[in-house]
Amino acid sequence: MSAVLMDGKGLSARIKEQVRAQVEKMSRRPGLAMVLVGEDPAAQVYEAGKRKDCKQCGIYYETYRLPGDVNQEELVEVVQLLNQREDIDGILIQFPLPEHLDDRAVQLAIRPDKDVDCVNPSNVGDLILGVDSFRPCTPAGVMRLLKEYDIDPTGKRCTVVGRSNIVGKPQAMLMLLSDATVTVCHTKTANLKEECLRADILITAAGKTGLITGDMVKEGAVVVDIAINRDDQGKLCGDAVFDQVTPKASYLTPVPGGVGPVTRAILMENTLCAARRHGKG
Ligand code: NAP
């Protein structure tokens, strides 16, 4: 058996086209602002991607670039300014912030109805309670990919590797809300292989090249690889050893071209949704 590779690029293009078609009919267009602190080269690449996506979808976009030594008050002031602007429906902050800044204070400062990546604790609470609100883009992208391939989590055993606040935890919660039986693994997990082997759906977001080997995957399991790593040749890869996992899995997300592009498309959808909440139509 060889896994079906889940085409995140294709799905992303379809989602963005749907967003574009809806935006085209609106009299006031949605707007997204991204706040970047410091000069992290990876963040600059993400920023360029978001700018391009917004252009494709007809969404107004702007970036606030703040120096790495910006103080807390100045950063919160920028967020508050964006909170007040009617042309901006979604606010995205590149986390983690430099150490001298307080992530939580900034997350709390984002108006919940503009919090398109679901980082404000009130939206995180709604997520846990299963209340309809924004979903964080990456975990929501994974759910969309599963849906696209008719993979129903109901009653399935799901193992999530990783428990970060932005990926692992919300991913586990979304799988639970979709009626999977969920196990969450991390660096203190006693027997990672055993936990992974149990999974009908294995979702990995550890950020460790080579972590998931073929012998950790149950025959026929669905493997979703969220991680974006580099191998020793500097090539992009996920946590799963592709050549070993492909013959075992029924479905697998490639890296690149799997979860990443869908994450970007969900951000466009969330921005459209925020604009509708703000009465734009
Ligand atoms: P993170 O904050 O570093 O969290 C990594 C998690 O993995 C932690 O919970 C850690 O456990 C766990 N972990 C690390 N090594 C492990 C091991 N050997 N065994 C078991 N668990 C292990 O990273 P993140 O922000 O969640 O991102 C995870 C990955 O997803 C990264 O590669 C990132 O680039 C990628 N990512 C991709 C997208 C996308 O759109 N595709 C979006 C966001 C992130 P502890 O809690 O015990 O430390």
Side-chain angles (χ1 to χ4, degrees), residues 35 37 72 75-80 83 91-98 101-125 134 136 164-167 169-170:
V35 180
V37 179
Q72 182 76 23
L75 175 57
V76 168
E77 232 170 75
V78 168
V79 174
Q80 281 165 351
N83 281 341
I91 301 169
L92 192 70
I93 317 265
Q94 188 67 43
F95 289 107
L97 296 168
L101 297 168
D102 178 1
D103 281 10
R104 181 174 162 81
V106 177
Q107 288 157 355
L108 279 164
I110 303 173
R111 238 173 72 174
D113 58 312
K114 296 194 175 191
D115 177 27
V116 283
D117 201 19
C118 189
V119 295
N120 184 304
S122 82
N123 283 331
V124 178
F134 291 119
S164 71
N165 289 335
I166 57 160
V167 183
K169 281 185 200 162

Side-chain angles (χ1 to χ4, degrees), residues 46 137-138 161-168 185-189 192 204-208 211 225-229 237 239 258-264:
Y46 294 143
C137 298
T138 298
V161 183
R163 59 173 167 181
S164 71
N165 289 335
I166 57 160
V167 183
C185 299
H186 44 79
T187 53
K188 306 291 186 295
T189 296
L192 183 65
T204 182
K208 295 282 176 266
L211 182 67
D225 196 342
I226 296 179
I228 304 173
N229 311 320
C237 65
D239 289 342
V259 177
V262 187
T263 296
R264 284 170 53 177

